[in-house]
Amino acid sequence: EIGVRLVGSEMCIETGLKDYQIRAITAGKDALGEATLKVEYNGRLYHGRGISTDIVKSSVNAYINAVNSVFLAMELEQQEEE
């Protein structure tokens, strides 16, 4: 499980990494690498994708993308309740 805390906020979520894949999109010295992953939060899967010449950066961006999807879903659920 991975915990995420919003900067300047008391909100913290824990997600479980369910799938993680990396692949080269282009070839050569400045090749682009793509990271895709799935995280689980409250029984739902959220997908993330990141692309960069640095695979670590691709992976971090993919995780941020997935966590942003979690927060968007939480926000939409709150709006529906109001």
Side-chain angles (χ1 to χ4, degrees), residues 23-66:
R23 70 182 182 104
I25 296 177
T26 60
K29 182 180 176 185
D30 294 324
L32 290 174
E34 176 188 48
T36 57
L37 54 79
K38 295 176 189 174
V39 297
E40 183 178 14
Y41 178 73
N42 280 350
R44 291 180 57 188
L45 288 178
Y46 297 88
H47 302 262
R49 181 174 179 244
I51 298 173
S52 176
T53 55
D54 180 342
I55 200 62
V56 173
K57 186 175 180 180
S58 295
S59 300
V60 170
N61 286 339
Y63 185 72
I64 290 170
N65 183 240

